[in-house]
């Protein structure tokens, strides 16, 4: 298959964002540029793999590309989280007989077909008969029959070959271990130092996990700069049970369908995905749908029809972003995969039924002036031809309120903060531009017009909504909505 031409994607042509994972196939500066030109809006740095030196080079390359293209690009550092694993086997592997018995114990002696060490003392005395243990991403499924402080005797609901150090999932119990390991703490400090815009926290079980992570981020950031935002990955049943609390304490949510599909029955995941997306949208928090979206494109230049439908469903549901994992990190077709995801999203958003589908979820505004004005933006844009909703914001909160309403009109986010501009690279429908702060109403209107014309969000004669807060520079004080007409004369003045 011929490689695609190196044509830059217009960021205004699509509202849902694309988050691409960086790995061996994509970490070169040349490939990173190709991915952005193909449609990537943000990059995920997976702290589970690679060394800090490699990640540092990747982030530096993204920042250089950002400067070259004059376009904010978000960096999300994804922490590994705690990993439970079995011990080692004689000869490196064993066969667990389907329907047979198998024991996990605290004996470090290499295991065999009947037993193996489980080097996690916190699990002993925790599990009860009837609860499940899932090994190697669901390939082996055990049911606990007896458990004490030294042994967990199981029957094999699904047997098979198991090898050294394979992962263990415990779907039926809240495991008393923190979401942040020592490695995660080191990785988090590194990510903050390197200026990551988002930190993704893995294997969240309880709201306290988020509180701990946020405290560590604040302590390490200090007064140096704006702290990175916190994204909670929903991949445990325990997190689903406390979803509302977790959403409230996070800045964004990721539907991590890989581990969700291991911890739950696979048929439970699709409706749960819709529930998480809806709950996040109701709360006005960005939501990312992740894992195996175009998995076959790791090796193939074309996806399956089922994968195309999967991506399309996430777009129809109103997800803020869709994520590529191995497809862009280690696959043979990273550029083509990003371009394919872009084309799917654009086609869905052009569907005449898209607006109704994406607004099928009722997101009534909270009883605040800011929310009422954000809701009014959508209503005005539905009633009067509007070329852009131009939002002045320092923190990004006004942009999030507008995005929550899923307006059909594109949103131009003007901010003096590079950190804010990068964060909204994962926000539905938002296109951020860095501009100097404003000091008066007249300056705001004039600058809003100039930026809209300069960045292609309107032409002479078109109308624009301007949304801001007065007094200027006060975060969260959105209280002003103004509809203006572009004349074209605004471009005579050159500024930023």
């Amino acid at each position: 298959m011929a490689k695609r031409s190196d044509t830059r994607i217009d960021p205004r042509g699509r509202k849902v964002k694309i988050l691409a994972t960086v790995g061996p196939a994509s970490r070169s500066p040349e490939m990173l540029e190709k991915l952005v030109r193909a449609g990537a809006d943000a990059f995920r740095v997976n702290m589970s793999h690679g060394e800090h030196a490699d990640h540092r080079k990747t982030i530096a390359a993204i920042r250089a590309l950002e400067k070259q293209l004059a376009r904010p690009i978000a960096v999300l550092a994804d922490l590994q989280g705690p990993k439970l694993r079995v011990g080692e086997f004689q000869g490196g592997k064993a066969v667990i007989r389907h329907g047979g018995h198998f024991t996990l114990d605290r004996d470090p002696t290499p295991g065999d077909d009947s037993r193996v060490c489980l080097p996690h003392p916190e699990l002993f005395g925790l599990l009860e008969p009837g609860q499940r243990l899932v090994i190697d991403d669901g390939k082996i499924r055990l049911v606990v029959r007896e458990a004490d402080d030294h042994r967990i005797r199981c029957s094999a609901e699904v047997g098979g070959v198991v090898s050294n150090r394979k992962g263990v999932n415990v779907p039926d119990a809240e495991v008393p271990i923190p979401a942040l390991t020592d490695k995660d703490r080191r990785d988090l400090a590194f990510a903050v130092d390197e200026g990551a815009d988002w930190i993704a926290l893995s294997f969240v079980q309880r709201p306290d996990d988020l509180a701990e992570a946020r405290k560590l981020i604040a302590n390490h950031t200090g007064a140096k700069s704006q702290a990175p935002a916190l994204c909670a990955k929903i991949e445990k049943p325990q997190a689903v049970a406390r979803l509302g609390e977790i959403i409230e304490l996070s800045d964004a949510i990721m539907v991590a369908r890989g581990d969700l599909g291991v911890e739950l029955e696979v048929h439970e995941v699709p409706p749960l995905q819709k529930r998480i997306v809806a709950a996040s949208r109701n709360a006005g928090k960005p939501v990312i749908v992740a894992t195996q979206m175009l998995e076959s494109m790791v090796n193939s230049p074309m996806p399956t029809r089922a994968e195309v439908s999967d991506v399309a469903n996430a777009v129809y549901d109103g997800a803020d972003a869709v994520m590529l994992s191995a497809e862009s990190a280690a696959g043979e077709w990273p550029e083509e995969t990003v371009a394919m995801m872009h084309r799917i999203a654009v086609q869905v958003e052009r569907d005449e039924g898209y607006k109704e589908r994406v607004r099928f979820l009722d997101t009534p505004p909270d009883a605040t002036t800011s929310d009422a004005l954000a809701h009014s933006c959508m209503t005005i844009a539905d009633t009067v031809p509007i070329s852009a909703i131009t939002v002045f914001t320092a923190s990004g909160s006004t942009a999030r309120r507008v995005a929550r309403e899923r307006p059909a009109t594109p949103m131009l986010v003007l901010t003096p903060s590079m950190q804010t501009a990068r964060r909204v690279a994962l926000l539905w429908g938002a296109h951020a531009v860095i501009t100097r702060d404003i000091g008066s109403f007249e300056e705001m209107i004039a600058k809003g017009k100039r930026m809209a014309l300069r960045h292609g969000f309107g032409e002479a004669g078109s109308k624009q909504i301007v949304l801001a807060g007065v007094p200027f520079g006060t975060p969260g004080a959105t209280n002003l909505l103004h509809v203006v007409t572009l004349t074209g004369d605004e471009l005579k003045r050159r500024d930023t």
Side-chain angles (χ1 to χ4, degrees), residues 231-266:
C231 176
K233 295 171 66 178
I234 306 299
E235 49 197 334
K236 298 279 292 179
Q238 292 74 27
V240 174
R242 305 184 71 175
L243 183 62
E245 298 170 84
I246 289 171
I247 290 175
E248 184 177 353
L249 290 176
S250 67
D251 299 305
I253 293 293
M254 182 185 293
V255 189
R257 304 180 307 175
D259 277 280
L260 266 180
V262 173
E263 300 252 348
L264 299 170
E265 298 294 340
V266 291

Side-chain angles (χ1 to χ4, degrees), residues 185-195 213-228:
R185 291 167 182 267
R186 294 191 298 272
D187 289 343
L188 185 150
F190 165 82
V192 172
D193 287 341
E194 294 301 315
R214 200 173 289 283
K215 182 178 179 181
L216 287 171
I217 290 171
N219 289 343
H220 195 78
T221 304
K224 292 181 291 186
S225 63
Q226 184 176 341

Side-chain angles (χ1 to χ4, degrees), residues 23-227:
S26 54
R27 66 164 59 107
S28 71
E30 296 77 17
M31 183 54 75
L32 288 170
E33 181 176 353
K34 288 180 179 179
L35 296 190
V36 170
R37 293 188 183 278
D41 301 285
F43 289 106
R44 169 180 174 252
V45 177
N46 188 357
M47 305 306 295
S48 297
H49 305 289
E51 302 297 326
H52 283 181
D54 295 326
H55 298 321
R56 183 176 290 111
K57 291 178 183 177
T58 296
I59 295 172
I62 294 169
R63 295 309 186 211
L65 178 61
E66 177 183 67
K67 187 174 182 180
Q68 173 192 333
L69 299 179
R71 175 182 168 187
I73 302 172
V75 173
L76 181 144
D78 194 342
L79 304 182
Q80 176 177 285
K83 293 288 187 181
L84 304 176
R85 300 184 185 276
V86 298
E88 298 187 349
F89 295 89
Q90 299 171 20
K93 62 181 180 181
V95 178
I96 299 177
R97 184 169 53 86
H98 180 72
H101 295 283
F102 193 77
T103 299
L104 300 109
D105 56 37
R106 302 177 70 169
D107 181 358
T109 305
D112 53 28
D113 293 350
S114 65
R115 60 154 296 275
V116 73
C117 178
L118 183 61
H120 300 285
E122 60 272 9
L123 294 181
F124 294 88
L126 171 71
L127 297 177
E128 299 177 355
Q131 293 183 325
R132 296 165 294 164
L133 287 166
V134 182
I135 302 174
D136 193 10
D137 289 337
K139 295 182 178 68
I140 307 292
R141 291 180 174 268
L142 308 177
V143 178
V144 177
R145 297 306 178 196
E146 297 179 40
D148 56 33
D149 291 340
H150 304 283
R151 294 177 188 81
I152 304 171
R153 295 184 177 89
C154 305
S155 60
E157 191 176 68
V158 178
V161 178
V162 60
S163 55
N164 294 343
R165 307 289 299 159
K166 288 299 181 183
V168 178
N169 291 78
V170 187
D172 300 327
E174 183 174 312
V175 182
I177 55 176
L180 288 159
T181 65
D182 290 341
K183 169 180 165 51
D184 293 328
R185 291 167 182 267
R186 294 191 298 272
D187 289 343
L188 185 150
F190 165 82
V192 172
D193 287 341
E194 294 301 315
D197 308 296
W198 290 89
I199 303 291
L201 186 61
S202 297
F203 295 104
V204 173
Q205 295 189 93
R206 56 189 81 85
D208 291 347
D209 295 333
L210 290 161
E212 180 188 4
R214 200 173 289 283
K215 182 178 179 181
L216 287 171
I217 290 171
N219 289 343
H220 195 78
T221 304
K224 292 181 291 186
S225 63
Q226 184 176 341

